[in-house]
Amino acid sequence: MPFIEALRQLSFSVGKDNFCLIHVSLIPVLGVVGEQKTKPTQHSVRELRALGLTPHLLACRSAQPLLDNTKMKLSQFCHVEAANILNIHDVPNIWHIPLLLRNQNAHHSILKQLNLLSIATPPDLEAWSRRAETFDNLTDSVRIAMVGKYVGLTDSYLSVVKALLHACIACSLKPSIDWIAASDLEDDPAQSAPEAYAAAWKSLRNAECVLVPGGFGDRGVSGMILAAKYARENNVPYLGICLGMQISVIEYARSVLGLEKANSNEFDDETPDPVVIFMPEGSRTHMGSTMRLGSRRTLFQTPDCVTSKLYCNPYYVDERHRHRYEVNPDVIGVLEEAGLKFVGKDETGKRMEVLELPSHPFYVGVQFHPEFKSRPGKPSALFLGLILAARGKLEAYLTRHQNGS
C-alpha cells in the first residue's frame, strides 16, 4: 500500500519527535446486549504495527461514549496510553466535535507527542462554542431550492451545502434544502413522469430562494433555465454559480432579448446566438489542460452593486475557479442595454465574473465558486446575501454595513 510506505518514510525523514500518527477506528456494538467490541480496533492496530507503524493516539468513533472498561481494554491490547484514546461519539451537530476533543485534552496529547507543549497556547474555542450552541437551538428555517443535475448524489454539492449552513447559522436559521432534479422541471416529464414534474415545480414555487450550482454537460440545462426564469420573473432571490451564472445569461438572452436559440457552445456548437463560448486560458483545440483553475482576481466595475457591498466594497476579490466556458464578450453590450449588468470582470476586462439584475431583490450570477472559501463563523458573502434576501433582510443589512455597524 503506497500510502503506508509514504507514512513510514515521513516518520523516518522528519524524526519520531516530529511525527504524530492518529489511528481512526470504529467501535461496533454487539446487538441487544450493547457490548462495545474492541477486537476490530485491536486487529487494525496489530496490522499497522506489522507494517512498521505505531499509532500514538486512537480516535475511536462510536454511537455512545466509550465505557471505562472499553478504553482500558483498548489501552492494554493496543499499547496506547489511556489518555491518548480519544472518543468521538455522536453529538447533536458536527460543530461539537472540536469541543469534544478539547474536553478530552486531545490537543495536549498531540502537542506532547510533538514536543510543542512549552510553546503552545490554550485553545480558544469560545466563539466556536457559541456557534455550536446556536446551531443546537435553532427553530426557524429557510427553504432553499437547489436545482441541479447531480441531486441524486448530494455529496456532489457538499461545499455548497456547507456554505449554505455557514450563511444560515450567521442569520440564526436552519437550512431546509429542497433538492430539485433540473430535468424534472422540463416539459417531457410533464407527460412521462407527471408526479415528479408536479413535485419539482411545487418545491420550486414554495422556496424562499433558488440556487443553481456548477456542473458540466447538457443534461437538465432546460430545467435550470426554467428555474432561473421563474426566479427572475417572480422576484425570488437567485444565486447562480459557474454554470448557474451561464444559465441566467442564456435565459435572459432568450426571454428578454428574444434570441430563442441563444445557447452555450458547450450544449450546442451550431447555435446562431452563442452567448456562452469556449474561452480556455490555454489551447482552444485540445480539451486537456484547458480548464481555468484556481484563484483568480475579479475587479469590481462599480462599488454601487450588491456584490461589492456584500464583500465590504473592495477594489477586487480573489475567488477560486473551475470552468472552461465564459460569457461571450461580444454580447455584453446588448445584454447590459437590456438591463443585465456585469459588475465584476477579470483583469483583462474580457471575462465576465459577476452579473446582477439591479431591478431584482437579489439576482446574482458568479463565474467563480464562492463556496470554496466559506468557513464557520466567516460565511461566503454571496451565500449570506442570498439567505438575507430570502428573508427580506438584505437591504437593512447592507445599510447597516455601509454605516459601519
Side-chain angles (χ1 to χ4, degrees), residues 80-132:
V80 175
E81 292 180 34
N84 287 0
I85 297 176
L86 310 173
N87 180 209
I88 306 172
H89 56 75
D90 288 358
V91 289
N93 69 71
I94 198 171
W95 290 6
H96 282 280
I97 297 298
L99 306 176
L100 186 66
L101 293 172
R102 187 272 313 274
N103 293 343
Q104 297 176 68
N105 287 316
H107 56 290
H108 185 277
S109 297
I110 294 169
L111 291 168
K112 181 180 178 182
Q113 171 60 30
L114 297 173
N115 287 322
L116 294 174
L117 278 174
S118 61
I119 61 173
T121 57
D124 181 5
L125 294 177
E126 184 178 346
W128 190 276
S129 298
R130 287 197 300 269
R131 281 194 289 272

Coordinates of all heavy atoms in Angstrom, one line a residue, residues 80-132:
V80 N -1.5 1.7 23.8 CA -1.6 3.1 23.7 C -2.1 3.7 25.0 O -3.0 3.1 25.6 CB -2.6 3.5 22.6 CG1 -2.9 5.0 22.6 CG2 -2.2 3.1 21.2
E81 N -1.5 4.7 25.5 CA -1.8 5.3 26.8 C -3.3 5.6 26.8 O -3.9 6.1 25.8 CB -1.1 6.6 27.1 CG 0.4 6.4 27.3 CD 1.1 7.7 27.6 OE1 0.4 8.6 28.2 OE2 2.2 7.9 27.2
A82 N -4.0 5.3 28.0 CA -5.4 5.6 28.1 C -5.7 7.1 27.8 O -6.8 7.4 27.2 CB -5.9 5.3 29.5
A83 N -4.8 8.0 28.2 CA -5.0 9.4 27.9 C -5.0 9.7 26.4 O -5.5 10.8 26.0 CB -4.0 10.2 28.7
N84 N -4.4 8.8 25.6 CA -4.3 9.1 24.2 C -5.4 8.3 23.4 O -5.3 8.3 22.2 CB -2.9 8.6 23.7 CG -1.8 9.6 24.1 OD1 -2.1 10.6 24.8 ND2 -0.6 9.3 23.7
I85 N -6.4 7.8 24.1 CA -7.5 7.2 23.4 C -8.7 8.2 23.4 O -9.3 8.5 24.5 CB -7.9 5.9 24.1 CG1 -6.7 4.9 24.0 CG2 -9.2 5.3 23.5 CD1 -7.0 3.6 24.7
L86 N -9.0 8.7 22.3 CA -10.0 9.7 22.1 C -11.3 9.1 21.6 O -11.3 8.2 20.8 CB -9.5 10.8 21.1 CG -8.1 11.4 21.3 CD1 -7.7 12.3 20.2 CD2 -8.1 12.1 22.7
N87 N -12.4 9.6 22.2 CA -13.7 9.0 21.8 C -14.5 10.1 21.0 O -14.8 11.2 21.6 CB -14.4 8.6 23.0 CG -15.8 8.0 22.7 OD1 -16.7 8.1 23.5 ND2 -15.9 7.4 21.5
I88 N -14.8 9.8 19.8 CA -15.7 10.7 19.0 C -17.0 10.0 18.9 O -17.3 9.3 17.9 CB -15.0 11.0 17.6 CG1 -13.6 11.5 17.8 CG2 -15.8 12.0 16.8 CD1 -12.8 11.6 16.5
H89 N -17.9 10.3 19.8 CA -19.2 9.7 19.8 C -20.2 10.7 19.2 O -19.9 11.8 18.9 CB -19.6 9.3 21.2 CG -19.6 10.5 22.2 ND1 -20.5 11.5 22.2 CD2 -18.7 10.8 23.2 CE1 -20.3 12.3 23.2 NE2 -19.2 11.9 23.8
D90 N -21.4 10.2 19.0 CA -22.5 11.0 18.3 C -22.7 12.3 19.2 O -22.8 12.2 20.4 CB -23.8 10.2 18.2 CG -23.7 9.1 17.1 OD1 -22.6 9.0 16.5 OD2 -24.6 8.4 16.9
V91 N -22.9 13.4 18.5 CA -23.2 14.7 19.1 C -24.3 15.3 18.3 O -24.7 14.9 17.2 CB -22.0 15.6 19.1 CG1 -20.9 15.1 20.1 CG2 -21.4 15.7 17.7
P92 N -25.0 16.4 18.9 CA -26.1 17.0 18.2 C -25.8 17.5 16.8 O -26.6 17.5 15.9 CB -26.5 18.1 19.2 CG -26.0 17.7 20.5 CD -24.8 16.9 20.3
N93 N -24.6 18.1 16.7 CA -24.2 18.6 15.4 C -22.7 18.5 15.3 O -22.0 18.5 16.3 CB -24.7 20.0 15.0 CG -24.1 21.1 15.9 OD1 -22.9 21.4 15.7 ND2 -24.9 21.6 16.8
I94 N -22.1 18.5 14.1 CA -20.7 18.2 13.9 C -19.8 19.3 14.5 O -18.6 19.0 14.8 CB -20.4 18.0 12.4 CG1 -19.1 17.3 12.2 CG2 -20.5 19.4 11.7 CD1 -18.8 16.9 10.8
W95 N -20.4 20.5 14.7 CA -19.6 21.5 15.3 C -19.2 21.3 16.8 O -18.4 22.0 17.3 CB -20.3 22.9 15.2 CG -20.3 23.3 13.7 CD1 -19.9 22.6 12.6 CD2 -20.8 24.6 13.2 NE1 -20.1 23.4 11.5 CE2 -20.7 24.6 11.8 CE3 -21.4 25.7 13.8 CZ2 -21.1 25.6 11.0 CZ3 -21.8 26.8 13.0 CH2 -21.6 26.7 11.6
H96 N -19.8 20.3 17.4 CA -19.4 19.9 18.7 C -18.1 19.1 18.8 O -17.6 18.9 19.9 CB -20.6 19.1 19.4 CG -21.7 20.0 19.9 ND1 -21.7 20.7 21.1 CD2 -22.9 20.2 19.3 CE1 -22.8 21.3 21.2 NE2 -23.6 21.1 20.2
I97 N -17.7 18.5 17.7 CA -16.6 17.6 17.7 C -15.3 18.3 18.2 O -14.6 17.7 19.0 CB -16.3 17.0 16.3 CG1 -17.5 16.2 15.8 CG2 -15.1 16.2 16.2 CD1 -17.8 15.0 16.8
P98 N -14.9 19.5 17.7 CA -13.7 20.2 18.3 C -13.8 20.3 19.8 O -12.9 20.2 20.5 CB -13.6 21.5 17.6 CG -14.4 21.3 16.3 CD -15.5 20.3 16.6
L99 N -15.1 20.6 20.3 CA -15.3 20.8 21.7 C -15.1 19.5 22.4 O -14.5 19.4 23.5 CB -16.7 21.4 22.0 CG -17.0 22.7 21.2 CD1 -18.4 23.1 21.5 CD2 -16.0 23.8 21.6
L100 N -15.6 18.4 21.8 CA -15.5 17.1 22.4 C -14.0 16.7 22.5 O -13.6 16.2 23.6 CB -16.2 16.1 21.5 CG -16.4 14.7 22.0 CD1 -17.2 14.6 23.2 CD2 -17.0 13.8 20.9
L101 N -13.2 17.0 21.5 CA -11.8 16.7 21.5 C -11.1 17.5 22.5 O -10.2 17.1 23.2 CB -11.2 16.8 20.1 CG -11.7 15.8 19.1 CD1 -11.2 16.2 17.7 CD2 -11.3 14.4 19.4
R102 N -11.5 18.8 22.6 CA -10.8 19.7 23.6 C -11.1 19.2 25.0 O -10.2 19.2 25.8 CB -11.4 21.1 23.4 CG -10.7 22.2 24.2 CD -11.4 22.4 25.6 NE -12.8 22.5 25.5 CZ -13.5 23.6 25.3 NH1 -12.9 24.7 25.1 NH2 -14.9 23.5 25.3
N103 N -12.3 18.7 25.2 CA -12.7 18.3 26.6 C -11.9 17.0 27.0 O -11.8 16.7 28.2 CB -14.2 18.1 26.7 CG -14.9 19.4 26.6 OD1 -14.4 20.4 26.8 ND2 -16.2 19.3 26.3
Q104 N -11.4 16.3 26.0 CA -10.6 15.1 26.3 C -9.1 15.3 26.2 O -8.3 14.4 26.2 CB -11.0 14.0 25.2 CG -12.4 13.5 25.3 CD -12.8 12.5 24.3 OE1 -12.3 11.4 24.3 NE2 -13.6 12.9 23.3
N105 N -8.8 16.6 26.1 CA -7.4 17.1 26.1 C -6.6 16.5 24.9 O -5.4 16.1 25.0 CB -6.6 16.7 27.4 CG -7.0 17.6 28.5 OD1 -7.1 18.8 28.3 ND2 -7.3 17.0 29.7
A106 N -7.3 16.3 23.7 CA -6.7 15.8 22.5 C -5.5 16.7 22.1 O -4.4 16.2 21.7 CB -7.7 15.7 21.4
H107 N -5.7 18.0 22.3 CA -4.6 19.0 21.9 C -3.4 18.7 22.8 O -2.2 18.8 22.3 CB -5.1 20.4 22.0 CG -5.6 20.7 23.4 ND1 -6.8 20.2 23.9 CD2 -5.1 21.5 24.4 CE1 -7.0 20.7 25.1 NE2 -6.0 21.5 25.5
H108 N -3.6 18.4 24.0 CA -2.4 18.2 24.9 C -1.7 17.0 24.5 O -0.4 17.0 24.5 CB -3.0 18.0 26.4 CG -1.9 17.9 27.4 ND1 -1.2 16.7 27.7 CD2 -1.2 18.8 28.2 CE1 -0.3 16.9 28.6 NE2 -0.3 18.2 28.9
S109 N -2.4 15.9 24.2 CA -1.7 14.6 23.8 C -0.9 14.8 22.5 O 0.2 14.3 22.3 CB -2.8 13.5 23.6 OG -3.4 13.2 24.8
I110 N -1.5 15.6 21.5 CA -0.8 15.8 20.2 C 0.4 16.7 20.5 O 1.5 16.4 19.9 CB -1.8 16.4 19.2 CG1 -2.9 15.4 18.9 CG2 -1.1 16.8 18.0 CD1 -4.1 16.0 18.1
L111 N 0.2 17.8 21.2 CA 1.4 18.7 21.5 C 2.5 18.0 22.2 O 3.7 18.2 22.0 CB 0.9 19.9 22.2 CG -0.1 20.8 21.5 CD1 -0.7 21.8 22.4 CD2 0.7 21.6 20.4
K112 N 2.1 17.1 23.2 CA 3.1 16.4 23.9 C 3.9 15.5 23.0 O 5.1 15.4 23.1 CB 2.4 15.5 25.0 CG 3.4 14.7 25.9 CD 2.6 13.9 26.9 CE 3.5 13.1 27.7 NZ 2.8 12.2 28.7
Q113 N 3.2 14.8 22.1 CA 3.9 13.9 21.1 C 4.9 14.7 20.2 O 6.0 14.2 19.9 CB 2.9 13.1 20.3 CG 3.5 12.3 19.1 CD 4.5 11.3 19.6 OE1 4.3 10.7 20.7 NE2 5.4 11.0 18.8
L114 N 4.5 15.9 19.9 CA 5.3 16.7 19.0 C 6.3 17.6 19.8 O 6.9 18.5 19.2 CB 4.4 17.5 18.1 CG 3.5 16.7 17.2 CD1 2.6 17.6 16.4 CD2 4.4 15.9 16.2
N115 N 6.4 17.5 21.1 CA 7.2 18.3 21.9 C 7.0 19.8 21.7 O 7.9 20.6 21.6 CB 8.7 18.0 21.6 CG 9.1 16.7 22.2 OD1 8.7 16.3 23.3 ND2 10.0 15.9 21.5
L116 N 5.7 20.2 21.7 CA 5.3 21.6 21.5 C 4.6 22.2 22.7 O 4.1 23.3 22.6 CB 4.4 21.7 20.2 CG 5.1 21.3 18.9 CD1 4.1 21.4 17.8 CD2 6.2 22.3 18.6
L117 N 4.5 21.4 23.8 CA 3.8 21.9 24.9 C 4.3 23.2 25.5 O 3.5 24.1 25.9 CB 3.8 20.9 26.0 CG 2.7 19.7 25.9 CD1 2.9 18.7 27.0 CD2 1.3 20.3 26.0
S118 N 5.6 23.4 25.4 CA 6.2 24.6 26.0 C 5.9 25.9 25.3 O 6.0 27.0 25.8 CB 7.7 24.4 26.1 OG 8.3 24.3 24.8
I119 N 5.5 25.8 24.0 CA 5.3 27.0 23.2 C 3.8 27.2 22.8 O 3.5 28.2 22.3 CB 6.2 27.0 21.9 CG1 5.8 25.8 21.0 CG2 7.6 27.1 22.3 CD1 6.6 25.9 19.7
A120 N 3.0 26.2 23.1 CA 1.6 26.2 22.7 C 0.8 27.0 23.6 O 1.1 27.1 24.8 CB 1.0 24.8 22.5
T121 N -0.3 27.7 23.1 CA -1.2 28.4 24.0 C -2.5 27.6 24.1 O -2.8 26.8 23.2 CB -1.5 29.8 23.4 OG1 -2.0 29.6 22.1 CG2 -0.2 30.6 23.4
P122 N -3.3 27.8 25.1 CA -4.5 27.1 25.3 C -5.5 27.4 24.1 O -5.5 28.5 23.6 CB -5.1 27.6 26.6 CG -3.9 28.1 27.3 CD -3.0 28.7 26.3
P123 N -6.3 26.4 23.7 CA -7.2 26.6 22.6 C -8.3 27.6 23.0 O -8.9 27.4 24.0 CB -7.7 25.2 22.2 CG -7.5 24.4 23.5 CD -6.3 25.0 24.1
D124 N -8.6 28.5 22.1 CA -9.7 29.5 22.4 C -10.9 29.1 21.5 O -10.9 29.4 20.3 CB -9.2 30.9 22.0 CG -10.3 31.9 22.3 OD1 -11.3 31.6 22.9 OD2 -10.1 33.1 22.0
L125 N -11.8 28.4 22.1 CA -13.0 27.9 21.4 C -14.3 28.6 21.9 O -15.3 28.0 21.7 CB -13.0 26.4 21.5 CG -11.9 25.6 20.9 CD1 -12.1 24.1 21.1 CD2 -11.9 25.8 19.4
E126 N -14.1 29.7 22.5 CA -15.3 30.4 23.0 C -16.3 30.7 21.9 O -17.5 30.4 22.0 CB -14.9 31.7 23.7 CG -16.1 32.4 24.4 CD -15.7 33.6 25.2 OE1 -14.5 33.8 25.4 OE2 -16.6 34.4 25.5
A127 N -15.8 31.3 20.8 CA -16.7 31.7 19.7 C -17.3 30.4 19.0 O -18.4 30.4 18.6 CB -16.0 32.5 18.6
W128 N -16.4 29.4 18.9 CA -16.9 28.1 18.3 C -18.0 27.5 19.2 O -18.9 27.0 18.7 CB -15.7 27.2 18.2 CG -16.0 25.9 17.4 CD1 -16.6 24.8 17.8 CD2 -15.8 25.8 16.0 NE1 -16.7 23.9 16.8 CE2 -16.2 24.5 15.7 CE3 -15.2 26.6 15.0 CZ2 -16.2 24.0 14.4 CZ3 -15.1 26.0 13.7 CH2 -15.6 24.8 13.4
S129 N -17.8 27.6 20.5 CA -18.8 27.0 21.4 C -20.2 27.7 21.2 O -21.2 27.1 21.2 CB -18.4 27.2 22.9 OG -17.2 26.5 23.1
R130 N -20.1 29.0 21.0 CA -21.4 29.8 20.8 C -22.1 29.4 19.5 O -23.3 29.2 19.5 CB -21.1 31.3 20.8 CG -20.8 31.9 22.2 CD -20.9 33.4 22.1 NE -20.0 34.0 21.1 CZ -18.8 34.4 21.4 NH1 -18.3 34.3 22.6 NH2 -18.0 35.0 20.5
R131 N -21.3 29.1 18.5 CA -21.8 28.7 17.2 C -22.5 27.3 17.3 O -23.6 27.1 16.8 CB -20.8 28.7 16.1 CG -20.5 30.0 15.6 CD -19.6 29.9 14.3 NE -18.3 29.5 14.5 CZ -17.3 30.3 14.8 NH1 -17.5 31.6 14.9 NH2 -16.1 29.8 15.0
A132 N -21.8 26.4 18.0 CA -22.4 25.1 18.2 C -23.7 25.1 19.0 O -24.6 24.4 18.6 CB -21.3 24.2 18.9

